[in-house]
Amino acid sequence: DAARAGFSAEALPEWARAAAQLVVLPFAVVFVGFYFAVSFLAVDVTFCAVAAAMKLAGKGAERTLHEMQAMVFRVWISPAACYLETFGGLRMELTGERLNGEESVVCMANHRQFADSFICAAMARQVSRHGDIKCIVKRSLLFLPVFGLGAYLSNACVFIKRSNPASSSRLLHQTFSALLHDHSPSTPHPRPFWLLIFPEGTRLTPSKLAASREFSLATKASAHPPVPLLSHLLVPRYKGVSKAIAELRPTLSAVYDLTLAYADHGNPADPRPRFLDLVFRCALGVPRVVRVHQRRIPIAEVPGGGAASETKEGEALRDWVYEQFAEKDRLLEEVEREGRFPGEELEFRRVALGYAAACMAGLVV
């Protein structure tokens, strides 16, 4: 907005930009501190008591609890999203296919940094599903101050421990069973959901990418089909997304494939915007661009669901996940070459200040 008025922070001397950041930093600290306090009191304390009471009420209250969790998460994240888009200057460049808010889907995305979950939630918000997104994440994130417990209580995250596959498998099965129950034929007016998975399992770094490529080359002769050799992504851990698709297939309409690319700002090895930059460094009229390419793959085009054995279906899903990541790698190669994803840019709706203020007021009340 400031750039449209003819102002650009990039034109300011370095000392002027540093001085401006010092002026706006107290505002960032105050907002983040206030948001943390409200989140702790409204979500971690109050909603914890509400959720515990409803759990004691028995299975009849589960559906009501799930609807409340969706509402709480939607209200909780909206002020933060508005802050990141306004103060942090976060700007999305969307391309690809338009998504449908009336579908239950598995959503898979590549993983660059901590902000990826917020980016995917912003995509869900475009079709009014930001309260119905559920993310499979590593267990260590449960211990993030305020937000870890809040994500658990609002049922927004499934925390799995990769070092304990048996426990993770049981937890995923419980999660999928709950989603199937909420969307059974006997359930009136089921709410669509987004199940978000990062198949790479960890954030991309140069060292991890090098190790991933070494693994692909080492298994090239023995693996069938060969593990893909990727230049911009890690080899996907296909078991989680395959299990999700296989168990949830009766309720799924499609798989959404989101490919994220952060605009580099002078250091390709460390793409901006970093999450802490978005939170504590005002954009000052210079947008921090994230490019997102959306693909909708109808569930009928995803292998499985027929009379094939469980082993054959698993192998077909593994090969399919590899193919999707090879396509994502090709798309990221085009971004590196052309500076954008192919296709026409889609409209991105930002969080309105009035709506964010109403959500914050709701949390305070």
Side-chain angles (χ1 to χ4, degrees):
D1 299 322
R4 291 194 193 103
F7 169 76
S8 173
E10 293 175 322
L12 292 175
E14 186 65 32
W15 66 266
R17 279 183 286 174
Q21 293 293 353
L22 286 176
V23 171
V24 298
L25 183 59
F27 165 76
V29 172
V30 168
F31 175 85
V32 171
F34 181 70
Y35 184 68
F36 259 75
V38 170
S39 298
F40 176 72
L41 293 173
V43 181
D44 291 7
V45 176
T46 306
F47 193 64
C48 181
V50 172
M54 297 194 71
K55 290 232 179 238
L56 290 174
K59 287 189 173 293
E62 282 187 358
R63 177 69 190 278
T64 303
L65 174 60
H66 293 167
E67 290 178 349
M68 288 184 64
Q69 288 171 322
M71 180 196 69
V72 166
F73 188 66
R74 182 167 55 249
V75 170
W76 182 33
I77 66 170
S78 293
C82 182
Y83 173 85
L84 294 176
E85 292 169 3
T86 304
F87 179 87
L90 189 62
R91 192 184 81 190
M92 310 289 187
E93 290 184 0
L94 300 186
T95 54
E97 301 173 66
R98 298 184 185 277
L99 306 181
N100 184 346
E102 300 305 314
E103 297 182 321
S104 291
V105 301
V106 167
C107 177
M108 60 181 187
N110 56 309
H111 199 11
R112 287 303 299 256
Q113 55 169 307
F114 185 75
D116 294 343
S117 298
F118 288 86
I119 304 304
C120 294
M123 298 305 101
R125 193 183 71 244
Q126 302 306 299
V127 291
S128 302
R129 289 273 74 88
H130 50 302
D132 303 292
I133 192 167
K134 186 184 295 292
C135 185
I136 298 176
V137 298
K138 58 186 179 182
R139 183 173 172 80
S140 59
L141 295 179
L142 176 61
F143 304 104
L144 279 176
V146 179
F147 290 100
L149 181 58
Y152 172 77
L153 292 172
S154 60
N155 202 28
C157 290
V158 182
F159 298 93
I160 61 172
K161 195 173 183 179
R162 291 200 297 261
S163 60
N164 191 338
S167 174
S168 297
S169 181
R170 284 195 302 272
L171 184 57
L172 289 176
H173 180 69
Q174 291 171 5
T175 300
F176 301 155
S177 296
L179 289 172
L180 287 170
H181 177 267
D182 283 351
H183 292 76
S184 66
S186 61
T187 303
H189 311 298
R191 292 183 64 90
F193 64 83
W194 280 35
L195 182 69
L196 174 61
I197 302 176
F198 297 105
E200 292 164 290
T202 186
R203 286 169 288 179
L204 180 72
T205 65
S207 60
K208 290 175 184 176
L209 179 60
S212 178
R213 288 176 60 82
E214 286 179 12
F215 172 76
S216 296
L217 292 170
T219 57
K220 185 176 182 180
S222 58
H224 181 74
V227 176
L229 181 63
L230 305 173
S231 300
H232 306 280
L233 302 164
L234 305 180
V235 173
R237 306 180 187 206
Y238 59 87
K239 291 185 178 179
V241 66
S242 298
K243 183 178 179 67
I245 292 171
E247 293 200 27
L248 293 173
R249 184 179 288 272
T251 68
L252 297 178
S253 300
V255 173
Y256 290 170
D257 180 30
L258 303 182
T259 304
L260 315 183
Y262 292 86
D264 293 331
H265 289 239
N267 183 5
D270 183 18
R272 298 292 199 274
R274 291 183 302 178
F275 185 67
L276 290 180
D277 283 343
L278 290 170
V279 173
F280 290 111
R281 292 179 62 84
C282 181
L284 294 176
V286 181
R288 290 161 171 152
V289 178
V290 183
R291 301 182 176 96
V292 183
H293 190 75
Q294 304 177 152
R295 295 170 60 224
R296 181 189 180 276
I297 305 165
I299 196 63
E301 297 179 9
V302 180
S309 67
E310 186 175 334
T311 301
K312 289 290 185 182
E313 182 175 342
E315 291 175 351
L317 281 170
R318 174 202 62 195
D319 299 348
W320 179 82
V321 172
Y322 283 167
E323 289 172 6
Q324 305 315 307
F325 266 71
E327 173 63 14
K328 291 166 82 70
D329 201 59
R330 186 194 67 77
L331 286 167
L332 289 168
E333 183 69 34
E334 183 161 346
V335 171
E336 189 174 89
R337 185 176 62 252
E338 304 293 337
R340 66 185 306 275
F341 283 116
E344 181 182 351
E345 187 171 341
L346 307 175
E347 180 187 7
F348 175 77
R349 292 184 296 109
R350 300 169 66 174
V351 178
L353 283 170
Y355 176 71
C359 289
M360 182 65 87
L363 290 173
V364 172
V365 171

